[in-house]
Every structure is written in structure tokens, then in C-alpha cells.
């Protein structure tokens, strides 16, 4: 049978390129989990995906109700779940004030981390039940969360501190909107959310890999300087960034190439190792990358996991 893969944020950028790449193999049915139905439909058409290879299902990760509703809808579809890709993200580098999810969490961490945390926890049982030979849960990471790399050292750096802000619920009222309890910084909030993504992947691996056989993985697909992620950046930045990445840092990858990389993590028979953060070298060959000290801190991973469970109502 065909594999079933859910991809969040498949309406643009990396998610769309991955959906296209998997659809072309004819071996996958893609559930495009998107907040804007029409945009997703147009996107699927624009890259030539044929109807029998995808279904669009509504998901707004900035609302825990919507996440629960999505999970119910998916269960009702009676499809098995073989692979889940947590890809969607918001990035607000120029925001001066925080904005908030429906549940009152700062938007970047609330969407990128907490929304996906609830989604993957609620779908884990479906993955356990699937008889697919290589089940995988993939959470897209980022180099910006790795302070052990040059790009990860561009300020403001990711830093979760003692997670006092997360503990307080990131609501910006009685506590800070930032995980470390500091002043709001949109670029840092995004990087912090990516560190949470990478910590969550490893905590999943520690808690569930042995019992379930599910492969848990994260990746840095390269710098895809052309995606919508940078839509809120200042125009001059958007104009110069792709060129800068191409010629100066040489980290630039096209959306198509990045999509092929994520599609490998979904389906390549050689990428089944669990607990790995994949990256690609200059020749587009995959390798197991090192995470920064904070992004591989097992105590912090457990702490973030336990606090996140409380915030999304799982404990
Ligand atoms: P895009 O902005 O193109 O894609 C982000 C996707 O997330 C869009 O489909 C967007 O939906 C969706 N999304 C945003 N908010 C929500 C929400 N509340 N509910 C549901 N979906 C939502 O960016 P990229 O493709 O670049 O980013 C994809 C992933 O790749 C992210 O995890 C990012 O961190 C990661 N990444 C990107 C890099 C880059 O250089 N671009 C580098 C490394 C990692 P909509 O279309 O409706 O806006």
C-alpha cells in the first residue's frame, strides 16, 4: 500500500516542496495540514500534484482546539498514519511586541513548538498502530538553534535559560513572553522555538523509540532563503539575503533541493536511525550532525517536555 504522511505547513516553502517530491514517487498519500485551505489547494495545483496523491485538512497550530479538531478529523478518515512531519513555522524578526496564540502563548513558541508538541503526542498512538515497515516522526529543526555553528552565533542567540518564562506560560502578563524570562525579541523567540523542536525530537526518541520502533529525527535542510519564512523581514533584507547566502555563506539551497532532502528523511531506507539531526554537505550527501550543547541537553529536554505537557493540557 501507499504510505500516508502528514505534513504541517505544506502550503508553501519546504513543506510544499517535500509534498511535491513525495507525490512524484507515487508511493505516498500526503495529508497537507494547513491553516488556509484555498492557498493549499492552489499550491498543490501549482506544483502539479495530482488529486489522488493528496488530501488537505485544516490545521491551525496556533490554536490547541484546532490541533485537537485536526486529530479527530484525521482519525475519522480511517487512514493509517505512517509518517508525521512537523514543518510549519512562523518567524517574526521585526516584531516589536509579542503576539499570542488562541491559548495566550507567545506566537512563535506557541505555534512552532507547543502546537506541534500536542499534535505529535496525540498522533503517537496512530503511528504505533500502523503496520508500515518504517514509521517516522520528523520535526524540522534549524541551524539558528545551534550555537555551535557560525550561523547559530548570529545574535540574538537562542537561549532557554532556566525556562522560567515557559513555566509561567509565556503569556506576557504575569510572566515574560520569552522562554528564558527576558524581554521580547521575535528573532530569538523563533530560535528558541527551534531549540524546543530539537529537544522534543530527542526526548521522543528516549521515551518511545525502543518500545515503538518509530524513528524520531530532526534536520537542517540548508538555508532556503527564498521561502515565505522571511516575509516579515524588512524589504532590503529580503532582497539581499538570498544572494548573501549563495555567495558569502554558501549555505543556500533551492526549495526543490531542500524538499528532496526532507523527502529523504521521510522515506529513504538508509535514514532510519532514530534520534538523529540530519544535515547535508556541499555535495548534498546526508550526515549525522552535532547539536549545540543546549539543543542536546537531556535535562532541559525533560524539563521542556514536562512543562509543555502541562501547558497543552496533557498532564
Ligand atoms: P514558509 O513560511 O514558506 O512555510 C511555513 C509554513 O508554515 C506555511 O505553509 C505556513 O502556512 C505554515 N504555518 C504558519 N503558521 C501556521 C499555523 N498557525 N498553522 C498551520 N500552519 C502554519 O517557511 P519555510 O518553508 O522556510 O519553513 C518551513 C520549515 O523549515 C520551518 O520549520 C522552518 O523553521 C524550517 N527552516 C527553514 C529554513 C529557511 O532557510 N527557510 C532553514 C531551516 C529551517 P501559510 O502558507 O498559511 O502561511
Amino acid at each position: 500500500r501507499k504510505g500516508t504522511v502528514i505534513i504541517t505547513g505544506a502550503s508553501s516553502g519546504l513543506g510544499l516542496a517535500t509534498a511535491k517530491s513525495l507525490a512524484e514517487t507515487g508511493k505516498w498519500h500526503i495529508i497537507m495540514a494547513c491553516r488556509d485551505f484555498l492557498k493549499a489547494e492552489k499550491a498543490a495545483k501549482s506544483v502539479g500534484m495530482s488529486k489522488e496523491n493528496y488530501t488537505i485538512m485544516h490545521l491551525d497550530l496556533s490554536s490547541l482546539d484546532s490541533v485537537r479538531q485536526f486529530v479527530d478529523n484525521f482519525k475519522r478518515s480511517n487512514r493509517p498514519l505512517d509518517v508525521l512531519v512537523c514543518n510549519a513555522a512562523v518567524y517574526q524578526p521585526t516584531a516589536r511586541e509579542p503576539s499570542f496564540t488562541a491559548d495566550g502563548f507567545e506566537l512563535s513558541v506557541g505555534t512552532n513548538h507547543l502546537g506541534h508538541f500536542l499534535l505529535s503526542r496525540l498522533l503517537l498512538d496512530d503511528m504505533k498502530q500502523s503496520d508500515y515497515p518504517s514509521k517516522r516522526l520528523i520535526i524540522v529543526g534549524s541551524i539558528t538553534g545551534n550555537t555551535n555553528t557560525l550561523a547559530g552565533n548570529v545574535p540574538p542567540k537562542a537561549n532557554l535559560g532556566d525556562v522560567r518564562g515557559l513555566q509561567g506560560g509565556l503569556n506576557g502578563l504575569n510572566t515574560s513572553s520569552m522562554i528564558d524570562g527576558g524581554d521580547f525579541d521575535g528573532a530569538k523567540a523563533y530560535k528558541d522555538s527551534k531549540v524546543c523542536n530539537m529537544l522534543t525530537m530527542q526526548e521522543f526518541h528516549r521515551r518511545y523509540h525502543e518500545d515503538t520502533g518509530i524513528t524520531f529525527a530532526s534536520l537542517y535542510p540548508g538555508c532556503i532563503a527564498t521561502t515565505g519564512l522571511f516575509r516579515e523581514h524588512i524589504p532590503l533584507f529580503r532582497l539581499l539575503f538570498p544572494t548573501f547566502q549563495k555567495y558569502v555563506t554558501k549555505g543556500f539551497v533551492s526549495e526543490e533541493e531542500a524538499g528532496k532532502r526532507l523527502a529523504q528523511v521521510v522515506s529513504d531506507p538508509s535514514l532510519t536511525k532514530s534520534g538523529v539531526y540530519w544535515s547535508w554537505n556541499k555535495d548534498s550527501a546526508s550526515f549525522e550532525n552535532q547539536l549545540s550543547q543546549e539543543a542536546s541537553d537531556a535535562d532541559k529536554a525533560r524539563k521542556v517536555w514536562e512543562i509543555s505537557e502541562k501547558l497543552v493540557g496533557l498532564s
Side-chain angles (χ1 to χ4, degrees), residues 8-16 33-37 39-40 59-63 66 86-91 107 111-112 116 139-144 190 193-194 197 219-231 241 245 253 255 262:
T8 68
S11 53
S12 76
L14 178 61
L16 179 62
C34 297
R35 60 178 167 176
D36 183 337
F37 190 93
K39 181 175 175 184
L59 168 66
D60 182 351
L61 287 158
S62 66
S63 155
S66 173
C86 297
N87 159 77
V90 280
Y91 176 47
L107 191 70
T111 307
N112 308 354
H116 278 133
I139 308 178
V140 177
S142 173
I143 201 169
T144 55
Y190 168 81
S193 77
K194 291 276 121 187
N197 284 154
L219 69 150
Y220 171 63
C223 183
I224 330 156
T226 51
T227 69
L229 200 64
F230 304 101
R231 76 193 80 179
F241 189 52
Q245 289 295 347
V253 285
E255 291 181 32
L262 178 47

Side-chain angles (χ1 to χ4, degrees), residues 227-265:
T227 69
L229 200 64
F230 304 101
R231 76 193 80 179
E232 290 184 34
H233 226 299
I234 56 168
L236 185 67
F237 177 88
R238 279 189 275 127
L239 185 70
L240 298 178
F241 189 52
T243 316
F244 175 74
Q245 289 295 347
K246 245 181 229 166
Y247 300 107
V248 183
T249 71
K250 301 205 166 65
F252 179 88
V253 285
S254 65
E255 291 181 32
E256 194 184 4
E257 172 60 23
K260 284 187 186 146
R261 291 176 178 182
L262 178 47
Q264 279 174 33
V265 184

Side-chain angles (χ1 to χ4, degrees), residues 176-234:
S176 164
S177 59
M178 299 292 290
I179 294 180
D180 65 358
D183 292 338
F184 176 72
D185 181 318
K188 180 172 182 299
Y190 168 81
K191 294 180 188 181
D192 290 350
S193 77
K194 291 276 121 187
V195 171
C196 290
N197 284 154
M198 294 181 272
L199 289 174
T200 301
M201 177 281 284
Q202 295 163 86
E203 191 65 16
F204 260 118
H205 168 72
R206 281 188 283 268
R207 289 178 186 237
Y208 295 106
H209 173 65
E210 223 167 274
D211 291 349
T212 63
I214 296 171
T215 296
F216 298 97
S218 186
L219 69 150
Y220 171 63
C223 183
I224 330 156
T226 51
T227 69
L229 200 64
F230 304 101
R231 76 193 80 179
E232 290 184 34
H233 226 299
I234 56 168

Side-chain angles (χ1 to χ4, degrees), residues 16-282:
L16 179 62
T18 306
K20 173 181 189 270
S21 178
L22 290 170
E24 279 168 355
T25 66
K27 295 182 181 154
W28 291 92
H29 188 83
I30 297 126
I31 309 286
M32 300 172 72
C34 297
R35 60 178 167 176
D36 183 337
F37 190 93
L38 254 171
K39 181 175 175 184
E41 184 62 49
K42 281 187 193 150
K45 285 220 176 81
S46 75
V47 297
M49 287 167 65
S50 65
K51 276 262 180 232
E52 73 272 13
N53 290 334
Y54 70 91
T55 305
I56 299 167
M57 288 179 65
H58 185 262
L59 168 66
D60 182 351
L61 287 158
S62 66
S63 155
L64 298 180
D65 271 351
S66 173
V67 171
R68 291 183 182 279
Q69 189 71 53
F70 170 86
V71 171
D72 282 353
N73 286 343
F74 177 75
K75 286 181 195 287
R76 264 198 288 268
S77 75
N78 283 325
R79 284 184 187 275
L81 178 57
D82 307 320
V83 178
L84 169 62
V85 180
C86 297
N87 159 77
V90 280
Y91 176 47
Q92 300 186 298
T94 57
R96 284 165 193 267
E97 297 290 331
S99 37
F100 297 92
T101 66
D103 307 275
F105 308 125
E106 184 281 319
L107 191 70
S108 325
V109 175
T111 307
N112 308 354
H113 167 57
L114 292 171
H116 278 133
F117 181 78
L118 180 62
L119 179 74
S120 41
R121 287 290 300 275
L122 294 178
L123 288 172
L124 195 67
D125 268 340
D126 293 70
M127 296 188 69
K128 279 189 207 160
Q129 283 157 23
S130 144
D131 61 358
Y132 203 71
S134 183
K135 304 183 275 191
R136 305 182 190 185
L137 196 166
I138 300 155
I139 308 178
V140 177
S142 173
I143 201 169
T144 55
N146 301 146
T147 45
N148 61 344
T149 60
L150 185 65
N153 273 304
V154 176
K157 287 195 232 175
N159 177 10
L160 308 190
D162 64 2
V163 301
R164 66 178 70 180
L166 188 67
Q167 189 114 41
L170 296 177
N171 56 34
L173 295 169
N174 43 359
T175 56
S176 164
S177 59
M178 299 292 290
I179 294 180
D180 65 358
D183 292 338
F184 176 72
D185 181 318
K188 180 172 182 299
Y190 168 81
K191 294 180 188 181
D192 290 350
S193 77
K194 291 276 121 187
V195 171
C196 290
N197 284 154
M198 294 181 272
L199 289 174
T200 301
M201 177 281 284
Q202 295 163 86
E203 191 65 16
F204 260 118
H205 168 72
R206 281 188 283 268
R207 289 178 186 237
Y208 295 106
H209 173 65
E210 223 167 274
D211 291 349
T212 63
I214 296 171
T215 296
F216 298 97
S218 186
L219 69 150
Y220 171 63
C223 183
I224 330 156
T226 51
T227 69
L229 200 64
F230 304 101
R231 76 193 80 179
E232 290 184 34
H233 226 299
I234 56 168
L236 185 67
F237 177 88
R238 279 189 275 127
L239 185 70
L240 298 178
F241 189 52
T243 316
F244 175 74
Q245 289 295 347
K246 245 181 229 166
Y247 300 107
V248 183
T249 71
K250 301 205 166 65
F252 179 88
V253 285
S254 65
E255 291 181 32
E256 194 184 4
E257 172 60 23
K260 284 187 186 146
R261 291 176 178 182
L262 178 47
Q264 279 174 33
V265 184
V266 170
S267 68
D268 194 302
S270 65
L271 302 192
T272 52
K273 189 166 170 192
S274 184
V276 172
Y277 169 63
W278 296 104
S279 296
W280 285 259
N281 67 20
K282 288 192 299 300

